[in-house]
Amino acid sequence: MPRRRTSSSSSSTAPATAPSSAPRNRTPQPVRARRRTFGDFVKAFLAFVALLVLVVGVPGALAVTVGWPLPSGAPSLDWLQQEITVTTFLHILTVVVWLAWAQFTACVLVEVKAALSGVGVPGRVPGAGPSQLLARQLVAALLLVGATAASLTPGLSQFGQHHLEGNQKPSVAAAQQTPGLFAQQQEQATGTAAALAEQASHAAAQAQAETPTASQHGDIKYYRIQPPEGRHHDSLWEIAERHLGDGRRYHEIFELNKDRVQPDGSRLSEASLIRPGWIMEMPGDARGGDLVEMPDQAPRVSPDVQQQIDAYAQTGDHAQGGAQAGGGASHVSLPEQRPATDTGPAPQHQQQAGSTESSSDSFGLSEALLGAPLLAAGLLLALGRRRRQALWQSAFGAVGGRRGMEPPTPTGDAQDVQDALLVGADPEGVRLLDRSLRGLAASLAAESRPLPTVYAAWLSNGDLHLQLAQPAGKPPEPWQLGQDQTFWMLARTDAERYEDVDTAAPYPGLVSLGTMDDSRLLLNLESVPGIVSLSGREADRAAVFASLAAELATNGWSDRMTITLVGFGQDLTPLAPSRLRHLDGIEDLVETMEAETRQRRGALGAAGHDSVLTGRTGPAQHTRWAPHLVLLAAQPSAEDAVKLAELAADASRLGIGYLVGTETGDLPGAAWEMEITGEGKLLAPLLSLELDAQLLPADQQRAVVELFVDPEHRPDGPAHTPPFLVDISEQGRPAVYARLVGPYEIIGLDTPDGERSALLHEALALLLLHREGVHPRVLASALWPRGVTDDVREALLDRLRDWLGTDPDGSPRLRADRTGRLTLAKSVVSDLDVLRSLYHEATQGKGVDRRAVRGRLLRDALVLVRGPLLADRPEGRYRWLTHEIVDAQLPLLVADTGLALSEFHMEKNRAEKAIEALGAALRTAPADERLWNELLRATHATGDTARLTALATDLIGRSGARGLPPRTEALLDELLPTWRDSVAAVG
């Protein structure tokens, strides 16, 4: 079991005089309910009579005595000239009374709704003033005899009902209720109300013993922090905005209450970290119905709460006890983990921390990327997409009109980074995470249940733990409740049963922060109710920001996203041009986000959604409510920081997240404060959180971007020469010849015996496809995706050397270059090497000026094509091919060969030979539009209209619902103008 961080360990440096935190395990006690007195029933009866008279009696009396006061028809000019009589005056007065009655009735309805729903702050009726106050008092008195009178008083609805987790397992440290990360809205249960009351009484008695009793409180007002409501969390900014008229006055509330002992025994040390149930003394000009004045004995408040407020009022000396760093901190620990089962070696990326490889074996590889499996997998997937796109653009002449272009082989730092990505990537983990989250969303939608707000996810021993903002009931199967009501857990074995589902990604804002023990933490940036701040040295902060931006831009568990970067030295746009955008400064950011915030608020309101989570499960789930994440690496000015805090106050429900860098760590509106150290530790002291941070340092960041730069933007231009050319003459016969294009065959070697034969064949195939060299760790991660020990890897390499043997000069056919990468001798070739060499020689070598040679070389090349790459490879092996683009290169190379040979035949009007060459190429590249278009031209050249019509019909049948590509349609219009009618007649 991984170690747990407890409150005792996290506060070991605190002074001995610091008040102890509230006990973490509580046993619910019976509720000591206050008995209702005869006076309570009398007050309730009188309130009922008063409400009956005012709400029902007044309109009844007006209807009986005065009747309808308004004219029965449309007024005319004569009506203005009539004499004002007593009757006219009475009618005007009646209208005024009717309006006053309507306003009072509205106040009663608003107060009753707030009382029954438990909303802390009821809506305000415009211009009501005393009317709403009277309605509030009457409703409260009427419902005083109910079961939970405290819940009927606006602003005090949760007094004494803050739930302390009962019977929690000692090994689990659940997060406290804070407006920052891991804020947990616990279920309100009357069975635990007495436990809080007892604790508060003890804290109040202790505070009274430490401080002199105040003789007079005057008209000081107090506010009690409300528990979260959905995605909304109380904050000092919002409290100041409601009761002081300006959110920027939050610091006045903070100064009044800083370091004072709260009812739960903790203290307010950071303006961004407050808990439900805490009491805040307010400035004298505070206004609002949910404030409590003392010593009025607060008739709407329970005696326990009165005692807490009275005790808190006597602790105004801020100097007592000093500032206790972390005294009121929330303690965050790992989710409860199941014992790890023995399912074979751990994945390669999980072995890096404990690896004992020598420096000679791990040369040049980025340890930061080796330890970032989700980031590495996302970058590899995005890199594969980019390279395939470049290949197809080249094939269709989009890049300089040249065909056959291959992405250049990376060198130097870029090659080292690519190897680190190949070793560290965990594509299976990304796939499981994506399917698990989408499967959860689909199951909840099927049950008509909303998505719960998720603050974070933990990946521990293959299991996925979601940490919710508040309890959301029992999760759908196969998910299970975790250590408490705010953890949903999915075992890896259950996640593997998920299939792909057609639903939107529910939590695309999840991003890796780092690891603690064997668990990886992903923070949901878009759900944090406020700003996440990051302090530390500029270079260290930049490494964290770059890692987060790169993973958000390329992760495999999101659909659409906008990531705005400000203050980044390196342009990361090449990683994901459709997601990433750079802004020049903070002014541009504030202007952009103000418009974005207004637009999202309006869109949510128009759609009738409370948050983006409900929108993602609706009919427009794939096109709306994508997150917008802002990464501001530069230090904002004080004025800009306040503007950002205002924007972030309501950002979480809008799907907008803010991560802001700061030099001082003091940022207005920060919900969670982090610090990155020079040793690579990501700290959140007030949360007792210490992670090994996920980083992307500047040099590796530049190398990653270099991998994504389009070839035409490189100084040396696109690469046209294959990385390895073979001697295609009779004297160039290889010693070992492997046939990879089609079924896998090896000529020149004996078939090895034993179970390792398949591994040796796979290792040779990988080396043949990478003539530039393969890092030993890349080879090991490809053959053993779940990891392997060094001695097993070295034993396989020894067997591979023995199997390949040596050349006549005694040199081994498997060798290491000056960088330590494994390479093959030139005497070991594959049919793919020969195919590339033949095409290159025909189009750029001897065949350029010698037509007969060109034709012979192209025919020889096309004969080599026997099917797809490694056609008969066993299931479950060669998974590393998913990271390769050879499966895209081979069809393009075959198509280019077929097109070149077709052009060769058409020069001599040999249409049938051209059709034969194109047909051979189509067997390996059936989706290449260029081959079909040339086949149409060659068929047209035969003069057989029926044959051309049949080919058009076949093409339409292959195109399916999408129809023919525009180029093909235009070509058919040129070659066969009546093709639509002809095809319809044939059909």
Side-chain angles (χ1 to χ4, degrees):
M1 290 291 289
R3 58 188 174 88
R4 297 289 189 263
R5 301 184 184 275
T6 62
S7 58
S8 60
S9 63
S10 63
S11 58
S12 59
T13 59
T17 58
S20 62
S21 301
R24 298 176 57 196
N25 295 319
R26 296 286 182 183
T27 301
Q29 301 294 328
V31 179
R32 297 189 295 271
R34 184 177 73 88
R35 292 181 176 275
R36 307 304 179 201
T37 64
F38 178 74
D40 292 337
F41 288 96
V42 172
K43 291 179 182 179
F45 176 74
L46 294 177
F48 172 75
V49 173
L51 286 173
L52 187 64
V53 171
L54 293 175
V55 176
V56 180
V58 169
L62 290 175
V64 173
T65 58
V66 180
W68 185 251
L70 299 178
S72 57
S76 61
L77 293 177
D78 296 337
W79 182 79
L80 297 175
Q81 298 174 358
Q82 292 180 359
E83 181 181 359
I84 298 177
T85 63
V86 176
T87 302
T88 305
F89 177 77
L90 289 176
H91 283 180
I92 295 174
L93 182 61
T94 302
V95 172
V96 173
V97 174
W98 273 107
L99 293 176
W101 170 85
Q103 184 187 59
F104 178 78
T105 303
C107 293
V108 171
L109 295 176
V110 168
E111 296 298 327
V112 170
K113 179 180 181 296
L116 295 178
S117 63
V119 175
V121 181
R124 291 180 172 83
V125 179
S131 297
Q132 188 163 5
L133 179 60
L134 175 61
R136 181 174 304 164
Q137 297 294 336
L138 292 175
V139 170
L142 174 62
L143 301 178
L144 183 63
V145 296
T148 56
S151 66
L152 305 174
T153 307
L156 305 172
S157 60
Q158 309 301 336
F159 281 15
Q161 296 190 32
H162 173 60
H163 175 63
L164 290 175
E165 187 176 357
N167 298 328
Q168 184 183 9
K169 297 180 181 180
S171 62
V172 179
Q176 302 268 354
Q177 296 190 24
T178 71
L181 180 66
F182 308 116
Q184 297 186 11
Q185 169 60 39
Q186 305 295 334
E187 292 182 351
Q188 297 179 4
T190 57
T192 60
L196 175 62
E198 180 181 356
Q199 175 193 357
S201 300
H202 176 73
Q206 180 181 1
Q208 289 177 355
E210 294 176 353
T211 58
T213 304
S215 59
Q216 182 68 27
H217 304 311
D219 57 353
I220 299 177
K221 301 178 180 66
Y222 298 90
Y223 176 83
R224 192 174 176 90
I225 305 301
Q226 298 297 298
E229 180 70 25
R231 292 172 66 93
H232 172 77
H233 299 256
D234 237 343
S235 66
L236 293 187
W237 181 283
E238 293 187 347
I239 295 170
E241 194 172 53
R242 287 198 306 267
H243 300 294
L244 301 178
D246 187 353
R248 289 171 290 188
R249 294 183 61 186
Y250 76 93
H251 60 85
E252 299 179 27
I253 306 175
F254 175 71
E255 292 299 331
L256 283 173
N257 300 274
K258 183 179 179 181
D259 298 323
R260 294 170 66 177
V261 178
Q262 292 290 339
D264 62 359
S266 55
R267 300 170 186 261
L268 172 67
S269 58
E270 295 290 337
S272 61
L273 295 175
I274 58 177
R275 301 182 190 174
W278 279 9
I279 298 167
M280 295 289 115
E281 180 180 333
M282 301 292 291
D285 60 338
R287 297 291 182 270
D290 50 351
L291 299 177
V292 179
E293 294 187 18
M294 299 294 287
D296 190 23
Q297 299 306 313
R300 297 173 298 161
V301 184
S302 68
D304 291 334
V305 174
Q306 289 183 27
Q307 183 180 9
Q308 293 179 28
I309 296 178
D310 184 69
Y312 186 76
Q314 303 176 47
T315 61
D317 184 7
H318 296 177
Q320 61 170 340
Q324 304 295 333
S330 295
H331 300 287
V332 179
S333 69
L334 300 177
E336 189 176 51
Q337 302 177 33
R338 299 181 301 111
T341 56
D342 185 11
T343 57
Q348 182 77 9
H349 66 273
Q350 292 185 7
Q351 294 190 357
Q352 303 305 328
S355 177
T356 58
E357 287 188 287
S358 64
S359 59
S360 62
D361 287 337
S362 59
F363 60 90
L365 297 192
S366 164
E367 293 297 334
L369 289 173
L370 291 176
L374 305 184
L375 168 61
L379 287 172
L380 277 180
L381 180 63
L383 183 60
R385 287 196 301 264
R386 176 61 55 84
R387 289 177 172 175
R388 284 178 171 82
Q389 182 181 13
L391 283 174
W392 282 105
Q393 287 176 341
S394 170
F396 283 95
V399 180
R402 292 182 286 268
R403 300 187 305 180
M405 184 195 73
E406 296 181 2
T409 301
T411 59
D413 291 342
Q415 186 179 20
D416 294 337
V417 163
Q418 179 173 273
D419 287 341
L421 295 177
L422 290 168
V423 174
D426 182 18
E428 180 66 12
V430 171
R431 185 183 68 86
L432 290 179
L433 177 61
D434 180 46
R435 287 186 172 182
S436 299
L437 295 176
R438 294 180 192 268
L440 174 63
S443 298
L444 290 172
E447 298 176 8
S448 299
R449 295 172 59 185
L451 287 169
T453 301
V454 170
Y455 280 153
W458 290 92
L459 292 173
S460 302
N461 294 331
D463 298 338
L464 173 61
H465 303 256
L466 297 183
Q467 196 157 1
L468 313 184
Q470 60 190 43
K474 183 179 179 181
E477 293 182 353
W479 290 77
Q480 307 171 25
L481 283 175
Q483 60 201 42
D484 58 40
Q485 294 290 323
T486 60
F487 274 93
W488 284 5
M489 191 273 290
L490 181 67
R492 183 185 180 93
T493 53
D494 293 328
E496 291 172 346
R497 298 203 299 264
Y498 267 120
E499 301 291 340
D500 292 329
V501 293
D502 184 20
T503 189
Y507 305 112
L510 284 170
V511 63
S512 302
L513 290 184
T515 58
M516 180 187 294
D517 296 334
D518 295 327
S519 297
R520 181 170 303 277
L521 170 64
L522 289 84
L523 169 67
N524 190 4
L525 271 181
E526 66 166 330
S527 71
V528 177
I531 293 174
V532 178
S533 68
L534 176 65
S535 60
R537 296 186 309 179
E538 183 177 2
D540 298 326
R541 296 202 316 264
V544 175
F545 273 100
S547 170
L548 297 179
E551 184 170 303
L552 288 169
T554 61
N555 73 59
W557 54 88
S558 64
D559 298 321
R560 297 170 58 251
M561 188 185 304
T562 300
I563 307 165
T564 299
L565 309 179
V566 182
F568 280 66
Q570 175 73 36
D571 187 3
L572 298 176
T573 304
L575 303 185
S578 62
R579 287 192 179 187
L580 290 170
R581 66 175 178 181
H582 284 256
L583 295 182
D584 295 333
I586 300 179
E587 292 184 359
D588 295 338
L589 172 65
V590 171
E591 181 180 354
T592 300
M593 298 315 299
E594 284 177 346
E596 176 82 2
T597 300
R598 288 194 300 269
Q599 188 273 334
R600 291 203 171 209
R601 283 175 178 164
L604 281 176
H609 295 306
D610 176 63
S611 73
V612 296
L613 287 181
T614 55
R616 283 182 189 151
T617 57
Q621 56 177 305
H622 290 287
T623 57
R624 302 172 66 180
W625 320 120
H628 187 159
L629 305 177
V630 176
L631 304 185
L632 174 57
Q635 168 77 38
S637 65
E639 181 180 356
D640 291 330
V642 171
K643 292 179 180 178
L644 289 174
E646 293 175 349
L647 290 172
D650 192 35
S652 61
R653 76 180 189 92
L654 303 177
I656 302 176
Y658 292 87
L659 177 65
V660 180
T662 173
E663 298 175 358
T664 62
D666 184 14
L667 199 66
W672 193 34
E673 297 178 348
M674 301 185 298
E675 177 188 1
I676 180 64
T677 69
E679 294 74 30
K681 295 291 185 180
L682 192 64
L683 309 177
L686 293 176
L687 299 171
S688 295
L689 192 63
E690 180 177 334
L691 303 170
D692 293 322
Q694 180 171 294
L695 306 172
L696 188 60
D699 55 342
Q700 295 162 33
Q701 182 181 346
R702 287 191 295 270
V704 167
V705 173
E706 183 181 349
L707 291 174
F708 282 81
V709 173
D710 292 333
E712 69 270 22
H713 295 161
R714 294 179 180 271
D716 55 352
H720 305 289
T721 303
F724 177 71
L725 291 175
V726 300
D727 185 358
I728 58 176
S729 66
E730 288 294 331
Q731 293 75 25
R733 288 184 177 275
V736 177
Y737 181 67
R739 305 178 72 178
L740 305 179
V741 184
Y744 190 4
E745 297 178 18
I746 297 178
I747 301 172
L749 291 177
D750 295 331
T751 302
D753 298 328
E755 299 177 354
R756 292 181 176 84
S757 175
L759 280 175
L760 293 173
H761 279 76
E762 187 173 356
L764 179 58
L766 178 62
L767 291 167
L768 286 167
L769 293 176
H770 290 277
R771 302 303 305 226
E772 73 278 7
V774 178
H775 195 291
R777 295 180 68 177
V778 173
L779 180 65
S781 66
L783 299 180
W784 294 281
R786 297 186 62 81
V788 70
T789 58
D790 299 343
D791 56 345
V792 173
R793 184 195 67 198
E794 293 302 327
L796 177 76
L797 292 180
D798 290 340
R799 292 187 181 91
L800 185 58
R801 289 189 185 96
D802 294 340
W803 182 41
L804 292 175
T806 60
D807 283 334
D809 60 0
S811 59
R813 291 169 181 157
L814 176 64
R815 60 192 70 173
D817 63 11
R818 61 181 181 82
T819 66
R821 289 177 171 82
L822 301 171
T823 60
L824 293 172
K826 291 185 177 181
S827 59
V828 182
V829 301
S830 71
D831 55 355
L832 184 57
D833 297 328
V834 178
L835 176 60
R836 286 169 171 162
S837 300
L838 288 170
Y839 176 76
H840 174 76
E841 192 67 23
T843 57
Q844 300 182 47
K846 298 178 181 178
V848 174
D849 299 322
R850 301 168 62 182
R851 186 176 186 280
V853 172
R854 182 170 74 252
R856 176 177 58 80
L857 293 173
L858 291 174
R859 284 192 296 268
D860 290 346
L862 207 56
V863 169
L864 294 175
V865 180
R866 301 176 300 123
L869 187 72
L870 298 168
D872 59 349
R873 60 180 179 265
E875 185 178 356
R877 303 210 63 88
Y878 297 86
R879 292 185 177 180
W880 46 270
L881 281 172
T882 59
H883 295 318
E884 306 284 344
I885 62 168
V886 66
D887 59 337
Q889 290 174 316
L890 178 60
L892 286 176
L893 178 60
V894 172
D896 286 342
T897 305
L899 290 170
L901 186 56
S902 172
E903 182 181 358
F904 171 81
H905 288 305
M906 291 301 295
E907 289 175 355
K908 296 296 184 178
N909 296 320
R910 295 198 290 262
E912 292 296 340
K913 290 288 186 179
I915 292 173
E916 182 181 348
L918 293 169
L922 279 169
R923 285 192 288 272
T924 300
D928 198 309
E929 180 188 352
R930 299 171 302 159
L931 291 175
W932 290 106
N933 290 347
E934 289 304 315
L935 184 60
L936 287 172
R937 291 189 178 96
T939 304
H940 177 264
T942 63
D944 190 342
T945 305
R947 188 176 178 182
L948 183 61
T949 303
L951 178 59
T953 304
D954 184 33
L955 271 176
I956 294 174
R958 292 173 180 268
S959 63
R962 291 186 176 183
L964 294 175
R967 294 184 186 183
T968 304
E969 281 198 7
L971 180 61
L972 277 174
D973 288 335
E974 175 187 348
L975 302 178
L976 188 64
T978 60
W979 68 274
R980 290 180 175 84
D981 297 334
S982 301
V983 169
V986 173

